[in-house]
Amino acid sequence: MTPGIRRKLEALAERHEEVGRLLADPEASADPNRFRSLSREYARLEPVTHSLREHEQARRELDAALAMRNDPEMAELAEDEIAAQTARLATLDHQLHLQLLPEDPRDQANLYLEIRAGTGGDEAAIFAGDLFRMYSRYAEQQRWKVELISANPGEHGGFKEVVARIEGAGAYSKLKFESGTHRVQRVPATESQGRIHTSAATVAILPEMEDIEDIEVKDSDLKVDTFRASGAGGQHVNKTDSAIRMTHLPSGIVVECQDERSQHKNRARALSLLKARLLDEQRSQQVAAQAESRRLQVGSGDRSQRIRTYNYPQGRITDHRVEGLTLYSLPEIVAGDLGPLIERLTREHQADMLAALSE
């Protein structure tokens, strides 16, 4: 650990103690917003302080073992202890470096999932449906709530476009690497000659943040249409003009919401989705300008980039952003077992950030 890194960690530990004292102050308890903010900061700094204490203890135990090495009767025991504490220090070093990485404020946010069929006609729509099912099953495993916002079914199954809201702790942190173009190679159900086709669908992951309220959308910039919801939804949904289509005239962004029975609720949800898209567009431009060299354009919203290929004949999934990231477990992943893929992408992202931190 470099002296500079250690100074940063010690400063965080000192801040942890200071926040603890502030929380004990009656004035902090009297202000709910300040108390909540301090409590969050204290909880965020707690793991750093704990790891730093462990690191210091391991360092002391290593020094004691090194001193024991000169005693012939204790030399063998000392060597075992030196090896154990050296390994422990290496693990704690890595852990502390990760804890120094800046936290993405969007990581704990709920999100909007948008999937659109790309090139490939009916097969692209079927693939979009497969992707939606994959994410829905993963969300179910994580005990997240999936709320369908709007859907435009394909003629032979799947979706031309589907939008859903996913609510759950850490949802965005897990799925933020999924934005981009997903490509599938397989024999479509509609193919009579048994030929392998290549089709695509685009995925967008938009965080639902508190600061979307700061995005100003003028009523004069909106065109709002009402229409009758399509598909199954009960007699009330399908017999009233409760669905909302909202067009943001300056940007051309169009959003729909037809899941709620109430036109008022659909309008509120459509406006929230519109603001999330506008915020994502702003951040995309900033991230693209600041991180052109990064392999993982996290949260950039760059849907033009082909990020992943699902090859059914060979049962493999290849993520093109990370060298050597090919998994031969396509059926399991498409069934919702995204854990191994997400963990690998997270580690790669952390490695990029650690490299930037070292620089």
Side-chain angles (χ1 to χ4, degrees):
M1 185 186 300
T2 65
I5 294 292
R6 185 162 193 86
R7 281 195 296 273
K8 290 177 183 177
L9 290 166
E10 288 172 348
L12 291 176
E14 289 173 7
R15 175 59 182 169
H16 179 258
E17 290 184 14
E18 180 185 2
V19 173
R21 290 193 296 271
L22 291 171
L23 283 169
D25 189 336
E27 289 186 9
S29 305
D31 185 344
N33 290 332
R34 182 164 181 259
F35 187 80
R36 183 167 56 250
S37 175
L38 287 171
S39 297
R40 287 175 179 172
E41 185 179 3
Y42 187 85
R44 190 172 67 250
L45 294 173
E46 179 73 29
V48 180
T49 305
H50 179 72
S51 296
L52 192 58
R53 288 196 195 112
E54 279 197 56
H55 191 278
E56 290 169 350
Q57 182 183 350
R59 182 75 252 179
R60 287 193 298 269
E61 291 179 9
L62 177 61
D63 289 341
L66 288 170
M68 267 197 319
R69 183 191 263 169
N70 298 324
D71 186 340
E73 295 182 2
M74 303 293 290
E76 186 176 346
L77 182 63
E79 291 298 336
D80 291 341
E81 184 67 13
I82 289 169
Q85 294 305 325
T86 300
R88 184 184 174 199
L89 279 169
T91 300
L92 288 168
D93 265 352
H94 181 68
Q95 190 173 305
L96 283 164
H97 276 76
L98 289 180
Q99 289 169 342
L100 260 186
L101 297 179
E103 183 182 5
D104 187 339
R106 301 171 294 174
D107 274 353
Q108 297 304 312
N110 303 323
L111 60 89
Y112 290 105
L113 165 68
E114 300 181 346
I115 304 174
R116 293 179 176 81
T119 56
D122 291 333
E123 167 64 5
I126 293 170
F127 178 50
D130 292 341
L131 290 175
F132 180 67
R133 190 160 47 252
M134 176 180 75
Y135 293 125
S136 297
R137 287 176 176 171
Y138 178 70
E140 183 180 343
Q141 293 171 13
Q142 303 298 310
R143 302 186 184 279
W144 298 338
K145 178 183 175 183
V146 179
E147 173 188 352
L148 189 67
I149 300 296
S150 66
N152 183 4
E155 293 179 9
H156 292 85
F159 300 99
K160 294 178 183 177
E161 176 181 296
V162 59
V163 181
R165 178 177 176 269
I166 297 180
E167 178 183 340
Y172 183 75
S173 69
K174 297 288 182 67
L175 294 179
K176 63 184 178 181
F177 303 106
E178 296 302 302
S179 288
T181 298
H182 295 238
R183 185 178 69 166
V184 63
Q185 295 172 328
R186 66 184 175 187
V187 179
T190 54
E191 168 59 53
S192 59
Q193 303 297 320
R195 292 172 297 188
I196 296 174
H197 285 223
T198 298
S199 306
T202 58
V203 174
I205 303 293
L206 310 175
E208 183 187 53
M209 298 290 291
E210 293 178 3
D211 56 1
I212 62 173
E213 299 303 325
D214 299 333
I215 300 290
E216 183 181 358
V217 177
K218 299 177 182 176
D219 288 341
S220 58
D221 290 340
L222 294 178
K223 178 187 176 187
V224 180
D225 300 307
T226 59
F227 61 99
R228 193 164 299 179
S230 60
Q235 58 180 356
H236 184 83
V237 171
N238 294 324
K239 291 186 178 180
T240 60
D241 290 340
S242 60
I244 292 287
R245 180 182 296 110
M246 190 175 288
T247 305
H248 185 244
L249 300 175
S251 65
I253 293 175
V254 180
V255 297
E256 289 183 3
C257 186
Q258 53 180 291
D259 189 55
E260 298 286 352
R261 293 185 176 186
S262 162
Q263 185 183 113
H264 176 72
K265 289 183 179 178
N266 278 331
R267 183 186 176 97
R269 181 69 76 214
L271 184 59
S272 175
L273 175 56
L274 173 63
K275 288 183 176 182
R277 282 201 197 170
L278 289 169
L279 187 63
D280 181 67
E281 197 171 87
Q282 289 179 8
R283 285 180 169 148
S284 296
Q285 295 169 356
Q286 294 171 359
V287 171
Q290 295 169 359
E292 289 181 3
S293 62
R294 281 175 54 193
R295 290 170 294 159
L296 294 177
Q297 293 292 316
V298 178
S300 71
D302 183 7
R303 262 73 77 186
S304 64
Q305 181 189 22
R306 184 190 70 194
I307 65 166
R308 191 174 300 152
T309 296
Y310 302 70
N311 186 295
Y312 276 75
Q314 297 180 22
R316 64 173 167 81
I317 285 185
T318 300
D319 197 292
H320 304 289
R321 295 166 295 180
V322 179
E323 185 178 354
L325 181 43
T326 296
L327 302 176
Y328 289 88
S329 52
L330 186 147
E332 293 82 4
I333 290 174
V334 172
D337 186 16
L338 283 165
L341 192 58
I342 289 172
E343 288 169 14
R344 177 67 185 277
L345 290 168
T346 300
R347 288 200 303 269
E348 291 291 332
H349 174 54
Q350 289 172 341
D352 285 348
M353 295 182 72
L354 283 172
L357 183 68
S358 300
E359 291 170 5

